[in-house]
Amino acid sequence: MTDTTDDIAEEISFQSFDDDCRLLGSLLNDVLQREVGSNFMEKVERNRVLAQSACTMRASGIEDTAELLEKQLVSEISDMTLEEAFTLARAFSHYLNLMGIAETHHRLRKARNMAHMSRSCDDIFNQLLQSGVSPEELYNAVCKQEVEIVLTAHPTQINRRTLQYKHIRIAHLLDYNDRPDLGYEDREMLIEDLVREITSIWQTDELRRQKPTAVDEARAGLNIVEQSLWRAVPHYLRRVSNALKKHTGKSLPLTCTPIKFGSWMGGDRDGNPNVTAEVTRDVALLSRWMAIDLYIREVDSLRFELSMNRCSDRLSRLAHEILEKETSSVDRSESWNEPLNRSQSKTYSQSGAAFPRKLPEGAYLPSCTECKDGESKYPKLECPGSDYMPLNRQDGKAASSSDTLFLDSDKNLCITYENGTVANSSYSPSASTPRTVSFSSGQLLSQRKLFAESQMGRSSFKKLLEPSLPPRPGIAPYRIVLGNVKDKLMKTQRRLELHLEDLPCEHDARDYYETADELLEPLVLCYESLQSSGSGILADGRLADLIRRVATFRMVLMKLDLRQESARHAETLDAITSYLDMGIYSEWDEEQKLDFLSRELKGKRPLVPPTIKVAADVKEVLDTFRVAATLGSDSFGAYVISMASNASDVLAVELLQKDARLAVSGELGRPCSGGALRVVPLFETVKDLRGAGAVIRKLLSIDWYREHIIKNHNGHQEVMVGYSDSGKDAGRFTAAWELYKAQEDVIAACNEYGIKVTLFHGRGGSIGRGGGPTYLAIQSQPPGSVMGTLRSTEQGEMVQAKFGLPQTAVRQLEVYTTAVLLATMRPPLPPREEKWRNLMEEISKISCQSYRSTVYENPEFLAYFQEATPQAELGFLNIGSRPTRRKSSTGIGHLRAIPWVFAWTQTRFVLPVWLGVGSGLKGVCEKGHKEDLIAMYKEWPFFQSTIDLIEMVLGKADIPIAKLYDEVLVSPSRQELGAELRRELMTTEKYVLAVTGHEKLSQNNRILRRLIESRLPFLNPMNMLQVEILKRLRRDDDNTKLRDALLITINGIAAGMRNTG
């Protein structure tokens, strides 16, 4: 959870928030009394009271008394045994998490109860019409909008998924508690449910004991779609449509989707050797499989709902054709080779055991709420081998508790019976291939009889559960058409299962859905039929929601982006050119590279010989391009090149992609499915950002590339800008200014060649990595940079914070839509005069020099950083599949931005955000430009946004806590460096307040300040505990119990700061 989700509501009722905090805190106290005893709870309460008193004294300006109370608290913590410290850390960590749940709940409640929500579609549409935009212009702008939210697996989500779901259940219970019609008995049951959830949380291990795999991360992202976005998207689109209808007289077209979703989970291989070509392929197939599975469930519900017989002539004809086709194709055979009946055929087609399980439906909902508890639709894999395939019913339960069907290692079909005997026959995945029996005819007859008996009960129940088809289409035509849709979806799903296992599939192309348009066709036909038959109210219900889901999620839920570092592509071309005796590619200058790449791209033959022998790293790159060529743009979105710095970086990927598509096409004997992937350069460092416009100009000056963009990508060039590495490279202020200028330059370059541009923002969750409220971020972009199109990442913890609940997801989607619409139709103001740009340059220059002189040029800084923060211990959190460093170097340069920001956030120093800013502002103010800065803050959205975000972070910084880390953990010889940095922090606060005109930090965000203050009685002791545990651990670094205690404090501080990295 994070403080940057303030888009949800501007204000919250602190009375009701305090009530909920007291309720949850009281219940946690009750649980702890039972779990750890009253004696220890007295210590917990004493620590809390000491911390609360110190906070009160400090807030009142009585610093000396506050300092004495804090020293007493530190002393008591240092006297604790390890077991006591561990338990106290757990208790305060859970208090902070429960407060976070209460905060989120109250934001939602306030938003729900507001009659007029700011930044909603209704609000912004009205503003635009009042400002002179015509209804037609507004309607067209909304319909043409293309926003893509890309979910990434960046390792910043610190909570285990198990605990995330328990927290969601508590949030649902708080929501249920708000109901005015709850009776005494209902409320007592609700309290019991809350106690159960809190007890369950306390008894659950908070720590991940193994690193997640890349597939685990992808599955977590897909679960966000299933648990939240699947419900949120139709609700959000209804809001957009209703607001459009109100203000323009026209509804949003049914298949129009202003927002879509992408993913990096399973595709981002930059510095992560665990993301292989095989992982990418499996995740892409899993995403398609889950999409089909969700559609099957929706179609099932629709078949029940659309029982009417009035329909259009066109639908009636289609239903009649389906019945005739099924009647003519029914050739029921009693032999072993054919399914016994249609139900069994459907059952068999769903036995896709190769795919991972999902959380049971409704697992995140509490028992007392009105929800539908369901069981997992995914088969449970408990297997003798990876090919285990239980024969499953449609609801996912095992066919029998005693009889099991599976494939052995030789693909033989085996049945294990209750008495333990195993029978088998050779298995063929294709119904058209005759099966070879591997035992005698007597045994075969016996096994056929046993198999038939094992099906008899299920077949009978199936007939009862599934009504037979009507004899003629006039009875229930919608059910006939939707039944056919379901059959094709199930065959599509089965085809994916065979594809995953590399088994042959001989389905007729007409028997499954290849594209979303094929699936939409019968659904839209049903919709039009209902509308024309006077049943529009039914058409606009569940059916319209399903059509909108298909239009949004297509056949893949989220298209997967691929990302790789530019150096890996150069290594691959080195291997190829060396093998072909053409020299070493990376030793050529830029013009030689471009000549070679352009020449090869114009050719029609593959470059890479099929017999080439290359190193494993090179083979992995080539294999990734083969996977992309095989599955194509139906499954994948963009190919992102990290650390891009030259035009040749882009053409190198275009060539490798073209070569793989030629090779795969030749093997298949037909063109590759889907189109080529968009190739997107990612400019990350300050140096690369400054050269971004020149790179794009060079690319577009190449005839082949420009024609390729026009022909294959609708004249659209996509460019990604990175916020994390630029911030670590030069400091947050300089990074923000360089990003602003880079976007202006890229836009100008594309305009020169008549090419449209889509900017892809690689924003992190924390402000140190480019995070911040969505609306504020979009509204502060350069004019012309958001022209109806935008891509942006949502990373790690932000995915759960913004999209974990359907209500928050709806609000976030609406904010994205309105912010992009406003930035398109009423672009943010540019700097009023050239002088403002010059002042920004000067502030940036001084800020960057100050930042780099400390971080990169001070020889003591690296050792200070390692001593003063828990950076070295963060790796034990197991929160991500990728390493914390791109390379094995120990320097700051190769450290990833996430642990860099994460470590400083833990100590409450948050240095990456403010370091250098104070020097820059001070330098300009001392030259007499203070009034200019005040005017810039009032009139220039970009400058105001930058300063406001820095001020918000300064409000979270805590100098006494940061000083404690130095005094206890840092060597005496380096403590002066810490003192200098604390003085720099105070200078930054002084000049930020001078520019904003505020008397105290966060004066313009009193809600946030109040929330931060409410956490301090639990957060401050957590920091003191962390210091004490770090001190002990660094003397006994093999003590696993100490390490666990440290990780608990890291979890708790992250919950209190509501940010990780």
Side-chain angles (χ1 to χ4, degrees), residues 240-397:
V240 177
S241 185
N242 291 340
L244 269 182
K245 179 78 172 177
K246 174 181 174 181
H247 293 287
T248 71
K250 294 186 286 186
S251 301
L252 186 74
L254 204 56
T255 56
C256 180
T257 53
I259 289 183
K260 291 184 179 178
F261 301 92
S263 173
W264 278 12
M265 303 178 188
D268 181 8
R269 59 230 322 113
D270 175 22
N272 189 352
N274 300 307
V275 180
T276 63
E278 183 180 5
V279 164
T280 297
R281 170 183 172 274
D282 289 354
V283 168
L285 291 175
L286 173 60
S287 186
R288 294 181 75 88
W289 190 91
M290 280 191 70
I292 301 300
D293 195 65
L294 289 168
Y295 291 142
I296 288 171
R297 294 186 226 171
E298 291 299 322
V299 170
D300 256 344
S301 299
L302 267 177
R303 289 174 72 201
F304 177 79
E305 185 175 294
L306 300 184
S307 55
M308 60 292 305
N309 55 17
R310 258 190 330 196
C311 68
S312 66
D313 291 342
R314 189 178 168 199
L315 188 80
S316 178
R317 285 195 299 272
L318 177 60
H320 186 74
E321 288 169 8
I322 291 169
L323 274 185
E324 283 186 347
K325 181 182 176 183
E326 290 193 353
T327 303
S328 64
S329 64
V330 169
D331 183 14
R332 303 188 184 279
S333 169
E334 295 298 329
S335 73
W336 178 268
N337 293 316
E338 296 293 333
L340 296 178
N341 54 51
R342 183 181 172 194
S343 296
Q344 288 174 1
S345 174
K346 282 195 255 184
T347 302
Y348 182 72
S349 74
Q350 289 192 94
S351 56
F355 286 88
R357 288 92 68 195
K358 73 170 184 64
L359 191 85
E361 184 179 328
Y364 47 86
L365 298 175
S367 56
C368 72
T369 55
E370 296 176 0
C371 65
K372 179 182 177 183
D373 292 327
E375 296 192 17
S376 173
K377 306 288 186 201
Y378 299 93
K380 186 173 183 180
L381 308 187
E382 297 173 358
C383 47
S386 62
D387 295 318
Y388 176 72
M389 289 180 58
L391 191 61
N392 291 319
R393 278 194 354 211
Q394 286 187 3
D395 63 359
K397 296 180 181 177

Side-chain angles (χ1 to χ4, degrees), residues 402-473:
S402 56
D403 300 346
T404 310
L405 181 72
F406 66 94
L407 294 176
D408 67 14
S409 58
D410 297 318
K411 302 291 187 213
N412 290 327
L413 184 68
C414 303
I415 308 170
T416 305
Y417 298 103
E418 190 173 13
N419 61 8
T421 61
V422 179
N424 74 314
S425 66
S426 15
Y427 169 72
S428 168
S430 171
S432 62
T433 307
R435 304 176 189 273
T436 306
V437 179
S438 61
F439 35 73
S440 69
S441 58
Q443 288 176 309
L444 176 60
L445 290 171
S446 173
Q447 298 308 328
R448 281 180 178 174
K449 180 181 177 185
L450 285 168
F451 181 78
E453 288 173 354
S454 74
Q455 307 303 304
M456 281 169 23
R458 179 179 51 207
S459 301
S460 301
F461 277 115
K462 208 70 176 177
K463 289 175 183 175
L464 293 174
L465 291 169
E466 282 200 357
S468 58
L469 285 170
R472 58 191 179 85

Side-chain angles (χ1 to χ4, degrees), residues 755-790:
I755 298 294
K756 297 175 184 176
V757 63
T758 295
L759 287 166
F760 184 4
H761 298 267
R763 292 159 47 83
S766 64
I767 290 167
R769 296 195 307 110
T774 303
Y775 195 88
L776 186 63
I778 295 173
Q779 284 300 299
S780 60
Q781 297 303 311
S785 64
V786 183
M787 298 306 293
T789 64
L790 178 82

Side-chain angles (χ1 to χ4, degrees), residues 795-924:
Q795 303 181 3
E797 62 185 339
M798 299 305 302
V799 175
Q800 183 68 36
K802 290 187 175 182
F803 305 108
L805 292 171
Q807 306 97 304
T808 58
V810 169
R811 178 62 175 156
Q812 285 300 318
L813 297 177
E814 194 171 19
V815 165
Y816 263 105
T817 296
T818 57
V820 169
L821 182 67
L822 205 56
T824 301
M825 306 198 79
R826 290 290 180 267
L829 293 172
R832 191 182 68 194
E833 50 188 286
E834 189 63 26
K835 181 181 179 182
W836 288 7
R837 297 183 70 92
N838 295 334
L839 287 174
M840 279 297 298
E841 284 290 349
E842 190 167 353
I843 296 170
S844 176
K845 181 180 178 182
I846 298 170
S847 175
C848 184
Q849 286 174 347
S850 173
Y851 177 90
R852 290 192 64 84
S853 67
T854 298
V855 174
Y856 292 99
E857 295 168 15
N858 188 326
E860 293 294 317
F861 181 80
L862 178 59
Y864 170 77
F865 170 55
Q866 292 169 338
E867 289 178 345
T869 74
Q871 181 268 326
E873 292 80 7
L874 291 177
F876 295 115
L877 282 170
N878 292 324
I879 59 175
S881 67
R882 73 182 191 179
T884 57
R885 292 180 178 274
R886 280 193 169 94
K887 298 180 182 178
S888 58
S889 165
T890 58
I892 301 286
H894 289 139
L895 180 69
R896 286 190 182 272
I898 288 173
W900 166 246
V901 175
F902 197 163
W904 289 113
T905 304
Q906 284 286 300
T907 68
R908 311 267 292 280
F909 209 23
V910 287
L911 175 144
V913 180
W914 56 261
L915 183 60
V917 176
S919 298
L921 294 176
K922 179 183 176 182
V924 170

Side-chain angles (χ1 to χ4, degrees), residues 325 484 488 491 507-513 518:
K325 181 182 176 183
N484 181 254
K488 291 180 75 172
K491 289 174 182 176
H507 287 309
D508 189 319
R510 292 168 296 182
D511 289 341
Y512 58 83
Y513 293 116
E518 293 173 2

Side-chain angles (χ1 to χ4, degrees), residues 1041-1053:
K1041 188 71 173 179
L1042 269 172
R1043 186 184 297 160
D1044 282 357
L1046 175 66
L1047 299 182
I1048 295 294
T1049 66
I1050 292 173
N1051 282 8
I1053 293 167

Side-chain angles (χ1 to χ4, degrees), residues 64 192 241 253 262 390 489 542 679 728 766 817 826 830 884 928 959 976 1008 1017:
D64 292 344
E192 287 179 11
S241 185
L489 283 169
R542 189 186 293 271
V679 178
K728 185 168 71 71
S766 64
T817 296
R826 290 290 180 267
T884 57
I959 288 177
E976 180 55 32
L1008 175 60

Side-chain angles (χ1 to χ4, degrees), residues 664-805:
V664 170
S665 177
E667 292 169 11
L668 296 175
R670 58 175 172 78
C672 294
S673 61
L677 276 57
R678 309 185 308 276
V679 178
V680 180
L682 165 54
F683 301 103
E684 301 176 81
T685 65
V686 168
K687 179 183 176 183
D688 291 341
L689 286 168
R690 288 172 177 166
V695 170
I696 299 303
R697 283 185 181 87
K698 185 65 177 178
L699 275 171
L700 294 177
S701 71
I702 299 170
D703 292 341
W704 178 91
Y705 185 79
R706 190 173 60 257
E707 291 166 7
H708 166 71
I709 289 292
I710 294 169
K711 178 183 176 182
N712 297 314
H713 301 301
N714 298 317
H716 244 101
Q717 172 68 55
E718 187 173 325
V719 177
M720 186 171 184
V721 288
Y723 290 66
S724 297
D725 285 293
S726 57
K728 185 168 71 71
D729 187 30
R732 184 71 261 140
F733 194 94
T734 298
W737 179 231
E738 294 298 339
L739 283 158
Y740 189 93
K741 293 189 297 178
Q743 292 178 67
E744 289 181 319
D745 202 14
V746 166
I747 294 163
C750 289
N751 288 342
E752 288 168 19
Y753 287 90
I755 298 294
K756 297 175 184 176
V757 63
T758 295
L759 287 166
F760 184 4
H761 298 267
R763 292 159 47 83
S766 64
I767 290 167
R769 296 195 307 110
T774 303
Y775 195 88
L776 186 63
I778 295 173
Q779 284 300 299
S780 60
Q781 297 303 311
S785 64
V786 183
M787 298 306 293
T789 64
L790 178 82
R791 290 189 95 213
S792 182
T793 59
E794 292 289 359
Q795 303 181 3
E797 62 185 339
M798 299 305 302
V799 175
Q800 183 68 36
K802 290 187 175 182
F803 305 108
L805 292 171

